């Protein structure tokens, strides 16, 4: 099927023609140049924060990834794989080698080594900062090939363009966001592309490639569970709709066995592929495929259908019985573990709120609002159903896959904000199909010109051709004007999309989170670099073996930048330890000092936004500390801190709230502080009230450091008094 | 009585029919089937052994069983691709199919050797 090249403007066409190229070569040149521009665009649009601030790592989790990558480049792979980190989760420590996904670190270290081999002496931090944009550019290339596989080259090009700027993907892959998702989305799309290619060609080589793609995905992100459940579901749908073929058998079996084996090489994943309930669907479909194709083979060999029916009955009953018994035994004896909380809360969104407060407290795990969908997808939101329509019109193995990927990922994106990222490639691909098919139909209308019926008969490619042939006699100029108007409309929409995406990237997704910016009184930009100021103070003014207690949000940053041991950090693997810290923060100072002495705490770090109006501080997170602490220690009761169900910090607040450790540490000496013109001293700008307890005395702690804008406050735990 | 006899007759007819149909398959396919049978048999022996002595180095058990299952499955894929009766694979040269089979087996056994422990 020949693809109609999209007509470029006339001077370019003359220039291209002047090289005396044939049409096919012209088309190739246009395609390659578009892809090159898209590649560069995807990289450039993610560089806002590097240009505005500096080349630094953002957020919280990337600091852990940066620290491990640093360790990997300095100590080599063997030490990294067997690393036991005694500087976090004091006194428990953390087996880092066995509890992380190494894909991102190994990738960055590899790029670093290649650059050093070519004698580019870059620092590992620069490599880490720019890894995500680099892989975003690679994702656009994969999206092009995937679109080409599903529909045609036009759809591939549009998919590449759409995914290059889509805010849903940019949000987790800006320069500086050195997190697993930056590499994982590339691996996800790559695996899916290789698998669809394997199903289309039935070749063992492509299936082997998709197994390697799956291995890369497993090494990069915990979201690989999506792949290992979507692909068996897809195989099942193909079996049920009767589209099964020998190619499907070859593709799935090779990918499943080799992929499972490769995945088990990652220590963090371990034996989950044969022991965890989340991976059982793949195994079930594997056995189902064997039975199914065996029966198909026997049916092919036997000429008598009656005999075959008897054989069929025996085999199916045996297989179902064996399968049910095995599954039942596995689940009852507990050998096959049930779905873990993280993934179960995707199926039942209310589960986490009641049972696992630590999962419910993460802001990224909240259900998605419509505004988030519109913000992250813009026009793709209504192009998605249009694309689904086109896919259903031309069903093939590949389009069934993309439809399933799109629908399942959209459901999960609705359950959890963070999963919009997983839905973005599907939405971009399906929307690309809609855009490409529509533009193609419209330009075909335009190019039909006055040739009338003859043109229609020679180059028939879509059903609109037949329709246009019929209407051509009646209202020919009207058709063409309508097509031109619609094309302009499409161009307008797409340019609005590009503008929106750039605006969103610039305003919303390019903030480093560790450096805050605000507009000053005269419109000048004010930078708050308090976090780094505090961490460097810790690094330079405390003994090297000091232990710092803070809420788990800041753990990774303290170990990476402050280079000090922390009690809890963002890994959140031990709920009781976190609850202990939560209990300490919510208790009176006398009880808290007992807990802190038992944990050998030397310094306590709190984040306070009352002076600057920064709203993500510890006082606003305090109720979560109470809930998590209360989940393990019933002595902490949430209603003690509320007044009539309301959370207050002013004079009318609960007495336990006014005297707990967190309140005291945040508001120590704040009662004398004038924060806003015309307001009394001790006016908390983040809560918008005057605080209740201004006269705070600390007995067991003393203030060690407060940053210039009071955002981070560090206190030293005083040693016990001498007995005399 | 009659139903028992007819079901027994059915089973025998089924068996004979299968046997005669299978005898008609080409020799190269029968060799592949023999290889598959051998691999599955080896896997079964390992499972029985694990059931009797326990599964302590679980990774070793898994790698042993999965190497047998994996190579069986890859041989079945080879059989599918080489079988002349499959219309989908008629332009795939059997040498290419065998080369793919060897490559996949190589990867499989390299991973198994890493996983054996």
């Amino acid at each position: 099927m020949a693809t109609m090249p999209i007509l470029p403007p006339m001077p370019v066409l003359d220039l291209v023609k002047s090289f005396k190229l044939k049409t096919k070569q012209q088309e190739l040149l246009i395609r390659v140049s578009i892809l090159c521009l898209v590649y560069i665009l995807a990289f450039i649009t993610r560089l806002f924060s590097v240009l505005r601030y500096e080349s630094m790592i953002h957020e919280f989790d990337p600091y852990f990834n940066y620290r491990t990558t640093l360790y990997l480049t300095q100590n080599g792979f063997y030490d990294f794989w067997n690393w036991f980190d005694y500087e976090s989760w004091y006194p428990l420590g953390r087996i880092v080698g066995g509890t992380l996904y190494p894909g991102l670190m190994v990738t960055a270290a590899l790029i670093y080594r290649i650059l050093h081999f070519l004698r580019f002496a870059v620092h590992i931090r620069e490599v880490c900062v720019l890894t995500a944009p680099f892989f975003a550019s690679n994702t656009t290339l994969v999206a092009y090939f995937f679109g080409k596989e599903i529909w045609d080259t036009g759809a591939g090009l549009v998919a590449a363009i759409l995914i290059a700027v889509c805010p849903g993907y940019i949000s987790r892959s800006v320069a500086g966001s050195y997190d697993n998702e930056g590499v994982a989305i590339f691996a996800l799309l790559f695996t899916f592309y290789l698998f669809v290619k394997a199903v289309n060609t039935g070749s063992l080589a492509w299936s082997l490639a998709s197994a390697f793609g799956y291995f890369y995905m497993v090494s990069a992100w915990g979201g690989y569970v999506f792949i290992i459940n979507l692909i068996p579901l897809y195989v099942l749908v193909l079996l049920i709709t009767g589209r099964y073929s020998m190619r499907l058998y070859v593709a799935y079996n090779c990918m499943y066995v080799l992929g499972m084996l490769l995945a088990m090489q990652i220590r963090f994943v371990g034996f989950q592929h044969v022991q965890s309930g989340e991976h059982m669907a793949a195994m079930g479909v594997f056995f189902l495929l064997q039975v199914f194709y065996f029966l198909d083979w026997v049916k092919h060999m036997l000429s008598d259908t009656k005999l075959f029916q008897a054989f069929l009955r025996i085999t199916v009953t045996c297989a179902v019985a064996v399968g049910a018994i095995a599954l039942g035994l596995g689940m009852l004896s507990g050998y096959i573990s049930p779905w873990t909380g993280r993934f179960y809360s995707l199926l039942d969104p209310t589960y986490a709120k009641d049972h696992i407060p630590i999962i419910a407290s993460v802001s990224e795990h909240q259900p998605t609002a419509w505004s988030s969908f519109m913000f992250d997808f813009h026009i793709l939101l209504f192009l998605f159903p249009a694309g689904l329509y086109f896919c259903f019109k031309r069903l093939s193995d590949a389009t069934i896959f993309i439809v399933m990927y799109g629908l399942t990922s959209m459901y999960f994106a609705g359950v959890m904000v963070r999963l919009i990222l997983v839905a973005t490639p599907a939405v971009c691909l399906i929307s690309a199909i809609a855009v490409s098919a529509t533009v193609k139909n419209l330009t075909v209308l335009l190019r039909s010109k006055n040739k009338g019926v003859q043109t229609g008969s020679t180059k028939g490619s879509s059903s609109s051709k037949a329709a246009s042939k019929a209407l051509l006699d009646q209202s020919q100029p009207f058709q063409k004007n309508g097509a031109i108007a619609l094309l302009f409309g499409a161009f307008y929409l797409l340019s609005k999309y590009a503008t929106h995406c750039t605006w969103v990237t610039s305003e919303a997704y390019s903030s480093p989170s560790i450096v805050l910016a605000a507009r000053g009184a005269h419109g000048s930009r004010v930078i708050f670099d308090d976090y780094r100021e505090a961490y460097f103070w810790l690094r330079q003014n405390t003994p090297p073996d000091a232990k710092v207690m803070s809420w788990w949000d800041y753990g990774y940053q303290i170990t990476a930048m402050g280079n000090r041991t922390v009690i809890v950090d963002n890994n959140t693997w031990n709920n009781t330890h976190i609850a202990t810290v939560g209990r300490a923060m919510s208790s009176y100072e006398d009880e808290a000092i007992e807990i802190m002495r038992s944990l050998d705490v030397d310094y306590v770090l709190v984040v306070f936004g009352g002076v600057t109006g920064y709203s993500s501080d510890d006082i606003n997170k305090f109720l979560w500390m109470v809930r998590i602490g209360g989940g393990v220690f019933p002595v902490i009761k949430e209603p003690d801190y509320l007044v009539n169900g309301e959370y207050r910090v002013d004079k009318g607040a609960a007495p336990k709230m006014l005297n707990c450790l967190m309140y005291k540490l945040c508001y120590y000496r704040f009662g004398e502080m004038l924060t806003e013109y015309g307001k009394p001293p001790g006016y908390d700008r983040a809560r918008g009230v005057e605080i209740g307890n201004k006269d705070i005395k600390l007995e067991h702690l003393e203030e060690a450091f407060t940053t210039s804008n009071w955002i981070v406050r560090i206190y030293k735990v005083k040693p016990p008094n001498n007995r005399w | 009585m009659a139903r028992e006899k007819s079901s027994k007759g059915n089973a025998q007819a089924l068996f004979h029919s299968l046997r005669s149909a299978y005898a008609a398959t080409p020799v190269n396919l029968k060799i592949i089937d023999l290889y598959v049978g051998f691999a599955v048999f080896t896997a079964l022996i390992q499972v029985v052994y694990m059931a009797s002595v326990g599964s302590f180095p679980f990774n070793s058990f898994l790698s042993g069983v999965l190497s047998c299952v994996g190579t069986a499955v890859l041989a079945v894929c080879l059989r599918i691709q080489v079988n002349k009766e499959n219309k989908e694979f008629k332009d795939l040269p059997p040498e290419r199919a065998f080369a793919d089979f060897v490559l996949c087996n190589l990867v499989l056994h390299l991973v198994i050797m890493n996983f054996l422990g």
Side-chain angles (χ1 to χ4, degrees), chain A residues 87 90 538 541-549 558 562-567 600-603 716:
Chain A
E87 282 190 3
Y90 185 85
L538 264 184
N541 293 290
T542 57
D545 61 350
K547 286 119 191 122
V548 180
M549 181 173 95
I558 296 176
N563 204 24
R564 293 289 175 266
T565 310
V566 288
I567 307 291
D600 282 350
V601 174
D602 296 311
Y603 291 88
K716 184 167 157 57

Side-chain angles (χ1 to χ4, degrees), chain A residues 202 245 249 265 300 302 335, chain B residues 17 58 80-81 85 88-89 114:
Chain A
S245 60
Y249 182 86
Q265 308 309 303
H300 174 76
L302 284 179
Y335 186 72
Chain B
S17 172
F58 193 56
I80 289 174
Q81 288 183 337
E85 295 173 10
E88 287 165 346
F89 289 108
N114 181 36

Side-chain angles (χ1 to χ4, degrees), chain A residues 396-637:
Chain A
S396 68
D397 290 348
T399 47
I400 290 184
F401 180 81
I402 198 68
V403 163
M404 286 188 62
Y405 176 24
L407 291 175
T408 48
S409 60
M410 276 306 252
Y411 166 72
F412 289 125
V415 172
M416 219 186 241
V417 170
R418 145 177 220 200
L419 295 178
I420 283 189
L421 175 71
V422 176
T424 301
V427 168
C428 285
L429 277 163
I430 296 183
S431 313
I433 292 177
V435 169
S436 173
T438 312
V439 168
K440 197 154 110 171
N441 290 348
L442 290 174
T443 49
V444 147
L445 270 180
L446 270 183
R447 292 173 114 230
S448 58
K449 287 202 178 149
N450 297 320
K451 294 191 189 136
V453 183
Q454 287 109 319
T455 325
S457 59
T458 48
K459 287 197 206 160
S461 59
S462 59
S463 58
S464 73
K465 252 298 192 189
S468 71
K469 206 167 61 173
L471 290 170
L472 216 53
D473 307 322
Q474 302 167 13
S475 52
Q476 189 187 331
F478 184 68
Q479 278 288 321
K480 276 191 56 183
N481 286 339
I484 293 180
L486 283 175
L487 271 178
F488 268 112
F491 177 71
Y492 172 72
L493 273 181
L494 288 173
S495 56
K496 271 304 198 200
Y497 171 71
T499 320
H500 168 86
C501 292
T502 318
W503 176 82
V504 163
T505 313
S506 160
E507 291 302 313
Y509 290 140
S510 298
S511 85
S513 298
I514 193 168
V515 169
L516 311 163
R519 292 262 163 231
H522 304 285
S524 60
R525 211 166 60 134
V526 179
I527 305 267
F528 301 125
D529 208 1
D530 287 46
Y531 281 102
R532 295 197 292 176
E533 190 186 336
Y535 299 140
F536 276 95
W537 182 90
L538 264 184
R539 195 190 189 107
Q540 289 161 350
N541 293 290
T542 57
D545 61 350
K547 286 119 191 122
V548 180
M549 181 173 95
S550 69
W551 192 234
W552 58 262
D553 288 2
Y554 317 107
Y556 281 155
Q557 287 180 340
I558 296 176
T559 34
M561 281 192 276
N563 204 24
R564 293 289 175 266
T565 310
V566 288
I567 307 291
V568 288
D569 67 17
N570 308 55
N571 190 28
T572 66
W573 67 270
N574 190 334
N575 195 36
T576 311
H577 217 51
I578 297 181
T580 312
V581 171
R583 180 183 175 190
M585 295 294 196
S586 350
S587 315
Y588 295 119
E589 199 183 342
D590 299 324
E591 301 156 3
I593 193 69
E594 299 297 319
I595 300 174
M596 289 196 280
R597 293 234 169 87
S598 77
L599 288 173
D600 282 350
V601 174
D602 296 311
Y603 291 88
V604 182
L605 186 148
V606 293
V607 169
F608 172 58
V611 173
T612 48
Y614 177 54
S615 56
S616 309
D617 64 351
D618 280 357
I619 293 285
N620 279 344
K621 293 179 193 165
F622 182 61
L623 273 185
W624 284 110
M625 299 186 200
V626 170
R627 283 178 194 140
I628 294 172
V632 177
F633 302 105
V635 67
I636 307 283
K637 298 189 248 310

Side-chain angles (χ1 to χ4, degrees), chain A residues 360-377:
Chain A
S361 73
V362 182
S363 63
E364 305 170 309
H365 290 183
Q366 306 310 315
T368 323
W370 269 110
S371 54
S372 297
F373 272 119
M374 189 60 190
F375 199 63
D376 280 341
F377 286 139

Side-chain angles (χ1 to χ4, degrees), chain A residues 323-388:
Chain A
I325 290 175
L327 189 67
L329 269 180
M331 302 227 64
L332 280 174
S333 67
Y335 186 72
I336 297 180
S337 56
W339 282 55
T340 54
R342 258 200 335 162
F343 295 111
Y344 189 74
S345 62
L346 288 178
L347 295 178
D348 177 13
T350 58
Y351 180 76
K353 190 88 201 283
D354 300 328
H355 296 101
I356 318 175
I358 218 172
I359 294 181
S361 73
V362 182
S363 63
E364 305 170 309
H365 290 183
Q366 306 310 315
T368 323
W370 269 110
S371 54
S372 297
F373 272 119
M374 189 60 190
F375 199 63
D376 280 341
F377 286 139
H378 204 238
I379 60 167
L380 302 187
L381 214 49
F382 63 80
L383 286 177
F384 180 67
L388 282 180

